[in-house]
Amino acid sequence: MANAAPFPDWHGTTILAVRKGGSTVIAGDGQVSMGQTVVKGNARKVRRLAGGRVVAGFAGATADAFTLIERLEAKLEQYPEQLARACVDLAKDWRTDRYLRRLEAMLIVADKTAIFTVTGVGDVLEPDGGVAAIGSGGNYALAAAKALIETDLAAEAIARKAMKIAAEICVYTNDELTVETL
């Protein structure tokens, strides 16, 4: 057991952002798993920030994600109405700060005009096509949303349908959704 991890193998999160027709939606599933066991089915991984003008969803270690969300809120106070600048500043701090560098989480952050994926390696990515996803089932939700984006469905309907598809494929994703729309 010399190679055993000190913590259980926790999995579970699918976060999807869709921007279409002037509407931006972030949806997150509620499942948290430890190994092959579901330990929570209704976790809330999507939050409103900046007085409701920004929505953030997280994947990864919960305490780490909350630390990052708190830092992002401080950046949004420092740079009101400048989501891109706040995200870049957060990513810079995350990459260079000794404590933050150890945090294991990812964020999707959006306002009415933009979506950004923010990572601990310094990436701030604005997706092509108005769709982004992270987490265990992120690729499934991303593929489904990309297939649905050209339909007549609204952003929220696309997010809900894509998350349902991801939940049918990914064992670490369920259909207990938190959906926030801007």
Side-chain angles (χ1 to χ4, degrees):
M1 303 257 344
N3 293 341
F7 297 103
D9 190 18
W10 294 87
H11 288 282
T13 292
T14 300
I15 303 294
L16 174 66
V18 177
R19 186 167 183 289
K20 182 179 178 183
S23 182
T24 303
V25 176
I26 295 184
D29 79 312
Q31 184 167 309
V32 177
S33 304
M34 183 174 65
Q36 297 177 337
T37 305
V38 175
V39 293
K40 185 169 178 86
N42 62 348
R44 192 169 179 273
K45 306 168 198 170
V46 177
R47 303 268 191 273
R48 283 188 172 268
L49 311 173
R53 294 183 314 276
V54 173
V55 177
F58 64 85
T62 305
D64 292 355
F66 284 154
T67 299
L68 293 169
I69 286 174
E70 287 173 5
R71 295 282 182 122
L72 178 60
E73 281 194 291
K75 298 294 182 186
L76 289 167
E77 287 176 16
Q78 186 177 356
Y79 306 114
E81 306 298 325
Q82 297 181 57
L83 181 60
R85 184 170 183 185
C87 288
V88 168
D89 223 39
L90 173 66
K92 183 177 79 172
D93 289 352
W94 193 355
R95 177 97 169 122
T96 59
D97 183 276
R98 199 174 174 139
Y99 167 73
L100 292 178
R101 227 184 342 224
R102 292 175 169 49
L103 299 182
E104 296 182 8
M106 289 181 73
L107 300 175
I108 288 185
V109 183
D111 64 10
K112 281 185 138 314
T113 62
I115 298 169
F116 297 101
T117 301
V118 186
T119 74
V121 295
D123 295 322
V124 177
L125 305 169
E126 188 170 13
D128 292 333
V131 179
I134 58 174
S136 302
N139 287 336
Y140 305 115
L142 180 66
K146 282 186 169 283
L148 294 168
I149 199 79
E150 297 299 324
T151 67
D152 292 335
L153 293 174
E156 184 172 335
I158 291 169
R160 287 183 181 279
K161 191 169 211 137
M163 290 294 288
K164 182 178 185 315
I165 291 167
E168 291 172 358
I169 299 170
C170 178
V171 297
Y172 298 115
T173 303
N174 71 11
D175 58 5
E176 290 290 321
L177 302 181
T178 300
V179 178
E180 294 287 348
T181 303
L182 295 170

